Amino acid sequence: MIQILGIILLVGGLIAVVVGAQDAFGMRERAARMFLGRFTQRTLALLIGGGLAAVVGLILLT
């Protein structure tokens, strides 16, 4: 059961990281970085949260 949860977290985390990376290079994000000087909260949440979920998923698989 723990391995199934690990697979779900790993796949979900990787998907979130990919969506966050795509969002980071979008036109809206570029405009926000030009005015704010940083990524938006949505992009940061996708990148950091997805990365953490993927790491926890890998730990659960081992």
Side-chain angles (χ1 to χ4, degrees):
M1 193 66 170
I2 297 292
Q3 290 178 340
I4 294 172
L5 180 62
I7 292 170
I8 291 170
L9 282 172
L10 178 63
V11 171
L14 291 177
I15 290 171
V17 167
V18 168
V19 170
Q22 286 179 343
D23 194 31
F25 296 108
M27 188 60 75
R28 182 182 61 164
E29 189 68 31
R30 287 182 189 174
R33 273 186 290 168
M34 185 171 65
F35 291 114
L36 300 175
R38 56 182 166 81
F39 288 116
T40 60
Q41 288 183 351
R42 178 181 186 267
T43 303
L44 285 175
L46 284 169
L47 291 172
I48 295 171
L52 288 174
V55 168
V56 170
L58 278 174
I59 291 171
L60 290 177
L61 286 175
T62 58

